[in-house]
């Protein structure tokens, strides 16, 4: 087993034990840190992993993100920025 596989397995096990509510709160905090320009490499990676876990748990939310980007790219007029995390979280059932 390689180190990468071990880390990946540990990450998956940790996230599997983490509640959806905690993942949502975590991604909100990490997103705010990223937007503020203060995110460390570790925080950026934790944000990505948290988003990955939410997308795995809620495939419809992941599809909604893709749909939002597609709509923004194909809409007539000026491109509108898509807030990835906002769209993802808005499509996770409460």
């Amino acid at each position: 087993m390689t180190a990468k596989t071990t880390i990946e397995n540990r990450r998956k096990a940790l996230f599997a034990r983490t509640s959806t509510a905690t993942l949502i709160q975590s991604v909100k905090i990490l997103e705010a840190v990223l937007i503020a320009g203060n995110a460390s490499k570790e925080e950026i990676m934790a944000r990505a992993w948290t988003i990955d876990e939410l997308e795995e748990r809620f495939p419809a939310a992941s599809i909604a993100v893709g749909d939002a980007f597609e709509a923004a790219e194909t809409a007539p007029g000026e491109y509108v920025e898509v807030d990835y995390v906002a769209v993802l979280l808005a499509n996770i059932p409460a």
Side-chain angles (χ1 to χ4, degrees), residues 59-70 82 87-88 91:
S62 181
I63 291 168
V65 170
D67 291 347
F69 276 102
E70 185 175 333
V82 175
V87 173
L88 179 70
N91 286 280

Side-chain angles (χ1 to χ4, degrees), residues 7-77:
I7 291 169
E8 182 68 14
N9 291 342
R10 288 174 54 204
R11 179 193 69 80
K12 285 186 177 195
L14 172 66
F15 278 86
R17 295 188 310 266
T18 305
S19 71
T20 297
T22 298
L23 292 173
I24 289 170
Q25 186 62 30
S26 296
V27 81
K28 287 178 179 178
I29 292 167
L30 292 165
E31 184 72 358
V33 172
L34 182 73
I35 290 170
N38 300 323
S40 67
K41 289 186 275 185
E42 291 81 7
E43 289 166 326
I44 293 168
M45 184 59 67
R47 176 187 171 274
W49 286 345
T50 305
I51 289 170
D52 287 348
E53 180 66 23
L54 288 168
E55 288 179 334
E56 286 180 30
R57 289 185 190 187
F58 302 97
S62 181
I63 291 168
V65 170
D67 291 347
F69 276 102
E70 185 175 333
E73 291 172 1
T74 59

Side-chain angles (χ1 to χ4, degrees), residues 1-6 9:
M1 187 178 288
T2 66
K4 182 176 181 182
T5 302
T6 301
N9 291 342

